[in-house]
Amino acid sequence: QRLFNQHVDSEPWEHPVDIVRHLGAVQSQDFAAAKWALGLRLRKPDEDAIEHAFNDGAILRTHVLRPTWHFVTPTDIRWMLQLTSQRIIAGTSSYYRKHGLTEASFALGRRVFERTLRDRKYLSRTALVSELKQSGLQTDNNGYMLVLMRAELEGLICSGPRRGKQFTYALLEERVAPGTRFDRDHALAELCLRYFKSHGPATPHDFAWWSGLTVNDARRGIDMIHGQLEREEFDGKIYWSGAAMEPVAQTYRPVVLVPIYDETVIAYRDRSDYLHRLSTSGQPLQENIVFNHTIVVDGQIVGTWKRTLARGEVTVEMHLFASLSPTEERDVAAAVERYASFVDRSTTHR
């Protein structure tokens, strides 16, 4: 049901922005993996289409939800930041002290960013750190990253277009048109609805993990939208999902190469549901397997994979922890071909 609602095992989307909007936010600190997270949900897996959407600002990348980068849409970025940013800032305050940062440091950072990025002068992290140093802000590399992250959380800056392989920053007000402001209850209800419709069945603890909010926030959000959700009990736990779900028997891709940090796995507090096949395979169960590129067969992790890019070719190396049937082996080969099509290369796999 989760894979179906996330559009991994169901009708794929036409455009990358539709995927991000549906899922609410897509974890993206590993940019190449995050592009494939969108690609595996597209009807035509096209890496260039995702790059264009990102460079055009149809998809943005910023710190929101848990303190890491996520893809979000321009229409969602402001209300999501208003809902989640203060909790992230409070949770990272000890890091500010560790790196010698004060509120005066962040105020200086804001002035530097407003001056140097004005009129769509997109600059890289390296260039902005140089500007911070010239303005008298002294910290270490991680400290400068925290200053940039704080400006993202405050809604001052966000991602700009890439220059080659370099990421740039932009002023949010120049990158995103003004949008409707939500009060906190409206924003919480919207985020809950978006999550449970796209990630359900899931628990309040799953939502709290994914959003960076509290379990009490999750329960309050569910209370506000429970008429639009379905409640299920399984193995002593209560799960919520979007109402009127489609049947899960219709499977378009029984085998998928799932990238690291993909929403199929990372979006849940309890990931044991994906490990049942491994637990019966006779191999030692590795809980941290979910922090790899994984091979998923019928909703179960059966191994890991990694890619090596060369001129015109991609090699996909697989490490299987469970045996595959001949049909599953053919499906794995088809999944590898689909990934190769995404990166526009011929393929070998082993």
Side-chain angles (χ1 to χ4, degrees):
Q1 290 177 341
R2 288 173 174 175
L3 293 174
F4 190 94
N5 288 334
Q6 289 203 25
H7 286 254
V8 175
D9 276 356
S10 61
E11 188 68 24
W13 294 102
E14 294 287 347
H15 304 292
V17 67
D18 296 327
I19 301 168
V20 178
R21 184 181 298 113
H22 172 70
L23 293 172
V26 176
Q27 192 162 328
S28 62
Q29 73 265 42
D30 186 319
F31 189 70
K35 287 190 294 182
W36 175 232
L38 303 185
L40 68 85
R41 294 166 170 86
L42 284 174
R43 182 181 302 278
K44 180 182 179 183
D46 184 349
E47 187 175 25
D48 287 341
I50 297 168
E51 284 278 359
H52 287 314
F54 181 77
N55 289 332
D56 290 346
I59 297 170
L60 302 173
R61 182 172 178 255
T62 194
H63 280 86
V64 67
L65 305 187
R66 305 179 304 282
T68 190
W69 276 294
H70 283 77
F71 287 145
V72 292
T73 68
T75 53
D76 292 331
I77 188 171
R78 285 194 173 94
W79 66 261
M80 283 191 186
L81 284 172
Q82 290 165 10
L83 178 63
T84 66
S85 61
Q86 289 307 308
R87 182 168 172 81
I88 299 172
I89 290 170
T92 52
S93 59
S94 63
Y95 294 98
Y96 300 158
R97 294 190 294 273
K98 178 181 177 180
H99 295 283
L101 299 172
T102 66
E103 290 304 312
S105 306
F106 299 121
L108 174 59
R110 288 192 291 271
R111 292 194 296 272
V112 169
F113 302 149
E114 288 171 346
R115 171 175 55 80
T116 57
L117 295 174
R118 182 66 58 193
D119 298 326
R120 294 177 171 80
K121 294 176 182 175
Y122 307 123
L123 295 177
S124 68
R125 174 187 173 184
T126 301
L128 288 176
V129 168
S130 177
E131 293 286 347
L132 290 171
K133 289 178 179 178
Q134 291 179 34
S135 297
L137 180 58
Q138 296 300 315
T139 182
D140 56 18
N141 286 336
N142 288 333
Y144 290 120
M145 187 63 220
L146 287 168
V147 175
L148 285 160
M149 180 174 126
R150 176 68 173 263
E152 288 180 299
L153 291 167
E154 291 176 343
L156 177 65
I157 63 175
C158 65
S159 59
R162 290 225 289 175
R163 290 178 176 162
K165 294 185 178 181
Q166 274 200 327
F167 294 96
T168 69
Y169 289 87
L171 290 178
L172 180 63
E173 67 177 33
E174 294 184 344
R175 193 75 164 148
V176 180
T180 304
R181 296 179 68 88
F182 292 172
D183 61 33
R184 193 178 193 281
D185 278 355
H186 187 171
L188 178 59
E190 177 63 24
L191 193 63
C192 270
L193 184 62
R194 201 83 65 90
Y195 176 78
F196 287 107
K197 286 179 68 176
S198 63
H199 293 77
T203 69
H205 287 82
D206 290 327
F207 173 81
W209 155 254
W210 177 81
S211 65
L213 299 173
T214 67
V215 175
N216 284 338
D217 283 330
R219 290 172 176 149
R220 176 171 173 75
I222 290 169
D223 285 345
M224 289 188 283
I225 61 167
H226 71 274
Q228 301 176 68
L229 300 179
E230 286 191 349
R231 181 182 184 274
E232 302 174 81
E233 185 170 350
F234 179 74
D235 200 22
K237 295 181 181 179
I238 303 301
Y239 292 82
W240 298 89
S241 56
M245 285 192 304
E246 296 289 339
V248 298
Q250 185 179 14
T251 301
Y252 287 80
R253 290 190 297 277
V255 175
V256 287
L257 301 185
V258 173
I260 191 171
Y261 307 127
D262 188 79
E263 293 293 307
T264 55
V265 180
I266 203 68
Y268 305 96
R269 181 79 176 186
D270 180 4
R271 304 173 185 120
S272 60
D273 292 326
Y274 296 97
L275 303 174
H276 291 317
R277 185 162 170 177
L278 290 185
S279 67
T280 60
S281 68
Q283 300 245 12
L285 185 61
Q286 301 180 33
E287 293 289 347
N288 66 347
I289 195 174
V290 299
F291 297 103
N292 293 273
H293 300 308
T294 53
I295 305 164
V296 174
V297 176
D298 290 328
Q300 292 291 299
I301 294 174
V302 299
T304 63
W305 65 281
K306 64 179 182 179
R307 70 169 196 177
T308 302
L309 295 177
R311 186 182 298 274
E313 185 177 79
V314 57
T315 299
V316 176
E317 183 178 348
M318 290 176 286
H319 186 191
L320 293 171
F321 298 99
S323 59
L324 302 181
S325 69
T327 298
E328 289 172 341
E329 289 178 354
R330 289 193 295 270
D331 289 335
V332 167
V336 171
E337 290 295 334
R338 194 166 191 272
Y339 179 74
S341 174
F342 175 71
V343 294
D344 194 24
R345 285 169 165 84
S346 63
T347 181
T348 59
H349 72 275
R350 57 181 187 270

